[in-house]
Amino acid sequence: MSEAVSLLSTYAEKANLNPSFDDNGYKTALQDTSWADGLRGIAAVFVMFSHMTMAFARWIVIPCQGKNGPVHLMQRPVLRLVAQGAAWVAVFVILSGFVNSLKAVKLARAGQIEPALSNLATSSFRRSFRLVLPATAATTLSWLITQFGAYRTATKSDAYWLYVTSPNPSSSWGTAVEDLVHAFRTTWTYNPENPYDQPQWALLYLLQGSMFVFTALLVTINLTPRWRILTIMVLYFWSWNWGIKLGDPMVGANVFTGIILAELNHSVYPLRFARFSPFFAPPLVVCGLVLMSFPSQFQDWAPWSNLLLRWYWKIAPRNAELMRFWPTIGAQMLTFTVVMSPHLRRALSHRWFLWLGKISFPLYLLHGSFMRSVLAWLLFSRSNLTEVEEEGHRYMRYPLPGALTFMAVLPVFMLILFTATHFWAIKVEPHFGMITKTAEDVMFGKKEKNTTTLPVRKD
């Protein structure tokens, strides 16, 4: 083994595969965790693309045109990731586990248990506010848009994802208020559903996953890193069994992966293997992306997906969910490779990816509303209603635009959407931060250090 490592090292040096890295360069790259923001931004963009695919190119969702039939270029592995929303949500959940545990794990490894526990307490408190407040604001915005009829064009279009996720205005403003309260409640209850912003179904599981992280670290914070990792690995495999009872069996597996990656990030292994990154990173990334490409339906139609389907029945836990099993494994493989590779970390830390990371949550919250309003107006405002047949029923809908029309409109829509999300990130998000900070100060007693609930006896 040592001879093989030495041989690879010599080859890497002679081939000059790492010209921009020396020992200090490796250390600097491996100390930087901003790559998580870059990857989160990419995931948010692909979630948006998956909804566009569901609206305008549903044929990409299936792996080929009929069983063993012809395959379009965009249906092939990796390229079809534009339709794989579940895979990119898995990346979101893994990164949530990674980021939420990163500082606590670092403090625990340094023996600073009390600061680690304090960090867990404040982080769990802030996490709840930073998820609920923006989601509530985005729901209210979409509700208001709905009541003024801004989604009417989308409801009459033949774009599947647009018309099935576009609500109609309420019958009265009194009913509208009741509908809004109902939307707030159902977003955060079991089997979540938000009629005004469908992508918010995932937020409950993100919050739930964060609570898993805080609870798991609270229990294991005093353990040595080796025993903490072993315990988290037990929880990882155990979660495949009980996760189905929570409505999404992949949440536990992904957040526990995030904790393990945080431990790995603070270990010596990324630095030890850094020089071999050009050898192992490309094949692992490609393999992870192929697994993330596993289709959500008709998996037995294409040879590559049928092979993964057969392996699923052989190795998957009993309670695993077919459409998310391989995308989840692929997302875990992708993030593991990034943690181990200084080259991928540096690439994902590019300022444009970091900017995408900055607007990732606003983009996730707002893209649905903008697609159902602005994009629908841009594409269908000059179209005429035509009769279409669906499941034996006839409807009057705006026909789907041609590819050239869609590609011409898309840059305009993207400019509008990204401008709005950037404005949200720099003008609206800080207010949520201030509300969270104020609530923290009040509820943690930081503004009442010299007062008590009951008077103190002086005898």
Side-chain angles (χ1 to χ4, degrees):
M1 179 65 180
S2 60
E3 293 179 358
V5 171
S6 176
L7 181 62
L8 288 173
S9 301
T10 302
Y11 176 77
E13 292 174 1
K14 290 184 177 180
N16 196 28
L17 291 175
N18 304 317
S20 61
F21 283 96
D22 53 18
D23 289 342
N24 290 330
Y26 286 133
K27 291 180 180 178
T28 301
L30 293 172
Q31 289 171 353
D32 185 10
T33 58
S34 62
W35 63 267
D37 292 326
L39 184 56
R40 187 188 297 113
I42 294 172
V45 171
F46 272 89
V47 167
M48 176 188 66
F49 284 154
S50 73
H51 293 150
M52 287 189 177
T53 301
M54 289 293 293
F56 303 103
R58 292 174 65 192
W59 52 268
I60 299 178
V61 176
I62 59 178
C64 56
Q65 306 299 320
K67 189 166 186 177
N68 297 320
V71 182
H72 190 278
L73 178 65
M74 294 302 297
Q75 292 175 319
R76 296 189 180 278
V78 181
L79 293 178
R80 59 174 289 104
L81 284 170
V82 294
Q84 295 296 108
W88 295 107
V89 171
V91 172
F92 266 124
V93 180
I94 295 170
L95 292 177
S96 175
F98 175 78
V99 172
N100 288 331
S101 59
L102 197 60
K103 186 173 182 180
V105 166
K106 181 179 180 179
L107 292 170
R109 280 176 167 261
Q112 301 180 37
I113 303 303
E114 289 189 9
L117 291 172
S118 177
N119 174 261
L120 286 174
T122 56
S123 296
S124 60
F125 179 86
R126 293 170 184 167
R127 181 65 171 170
S128 302
F129 274 76
R130 297 312 297 268
L131 279 176
V132 173
L133 291 177
T136 301
T139 299
T140 304
L141 176 63
S142 182
W143 167 82
L144 191 62
I145 291 174
T146 300
Q147 304 313 317
F148 285 100
Y151 293 155
R152 279 202 177 95
T153 301
T155 60
K156 296 180 179 180
S157 74
D158 200 29
Y160 174 77
W161 191 84
L162 295 188
Y163 72 74
V164 298
T165 64
S166 298
N168 292 309
S170 304
S171 57
S172 66
W173 280 103
T175 304
V177 173
E178 294 178 2
D179 292 340
L180 178 62
V181 174
H182 174 76
F184 291 154
R185 182 177 60 83
T186 56
T187 301
W188 304 102
T189 54
Y190 179 75
N191 196 20
E193 181 181 1
N194 186 323
Y196 296 107
D197 194 14
Q198 184 271 342
Q200 289 196 31
W201 71 267
L203 297 187
L204 173 65
Y205 299 114
L206 285 172
L207 180 60
Q208 190 179 71
S210 299
M211 297 303 111
F212 288 168
V213 170
F214 302 134
T215 304
L217 288 179
L218 181 65
V219 173
T220 61
I221 202 72
N222 281 299
L223 303 182
T224 63
R226 176 178 299 178
W227 286 106
R228 185 164 51 248
I229 292 174
L230 288 174
T231 304
I232 298 301
M233 289 182 68
V234 170
L235 292 175
Y236 171 87
F237 289 108
W238 193 18
S239 69
W240 289 92
N241 177 265
W242 51 257
I244 192 69
K245 301 297 183 181
L246 303 174
D248 192 327
M250 305 306 177
V251 172
N254 283 326
V255 294
F256 294 139
T257 296
I259 299 176
I260 294 172
L261 293 179
E263 292 278 3
L264 183 62
N265 180 79
H266 291 304
S267 71
V268 299
Y269 294 106
L271 184 58
R272 286 183 182 178
F273 286 89
R275 70 181 67 183
F276 308 121
S277 173
F279 298 101
F280 69 77
L284 285 180
V285 167
V286 171
C287 185
L289 295 177
V290 169
L291 294 181
M292 290 171 65
S293 303
F294 186 73
S296 59
Q297 52 186 309
F298 303 112
Q299 297 90 355
D300 60 336
W301 281 12
W304 70 273
S305 57
N306 191 35
L307 176 63
L308 291 177
L309 177 63
R310 293 200 301 269
W311 274 101
Y312 168 84
W313 295 118
K314 292 179 180 180
I315 67 173
R318 184 177 61 180
N319 288 334
E321 188 176 352
L322 173 60
M323 65 173 287
R324 296 190 182 182
F325 177 76
W326 288 119
T328 293
I329 300 298
Q332 293 170 0
M333 183 178 295
L334 175 66
T335 49
F336 166 80
T337 308
V338 175
V339 169
M340 293 294 293
S341 172
H343 303 81
L344 290 176
R345 288 189 183 216
R346 177 173 291 185
L348 290 171
S349 298
H350 189 276
R351 60 191 181 96
W352 285 109
F353 290 143
L354 296 182
W355 176 74
L356 285 177
K358 181 180 180 180
I359 67 168
S360 60
F361 196 38
L363 179 62
Y364 187 86
L365 293 175
L366 297 180
H367 77 271
S369 297
F370 275 72
M371 284 178 59
R372 294 189 295 266
S373 56
V374 177
L375 183 59
W377 298 338
L378 291 173
L379 289 174
F380 303 114
S381 59
R382 296 189 177 185
S383 299
N384 296 318
L385 292 171
T386 60
E387 188 177 66
V388 297
E389 185 173 347
E390 183 178 321
E391 298 180 352
H393 300 280
R394 295 184 177 276
Y395 303 93
M396 297 298 293
R397 297 194 187 280
Y398 297 114
L400 291 177
L404 291 178
T405 301
F406 181 80
M407 295 306 296
V409 167
L410 185 60
V412 179
F413 170 73
M414 296 290 279
L415 178 62
I416 296 172
L417 175 61
F418 282 116
T419 300
T421 53
H422 180 72
F423 176 84
W424 182 288
I426 64 174
K427 297 295 184 180
V428 180
E429 282 287 344
H431 293 287
F432 300 140
M434 288 189 293
I435 294 172
T436 302
K437 183 65 168 61
T438 301
E440 179 183 340
D441 291 342
V442 172
M443 299 175 73
F444 280 43
K446 294 180 179 180
K447 292 186 176 181
E448 302 175 0
K449 291 183 178 180
N450 297 322
T451 63
T452 57
T453 304
L454 296 175
V456 179
R457 291 180 58 180
K458 298 182 180 180
D459 54 321

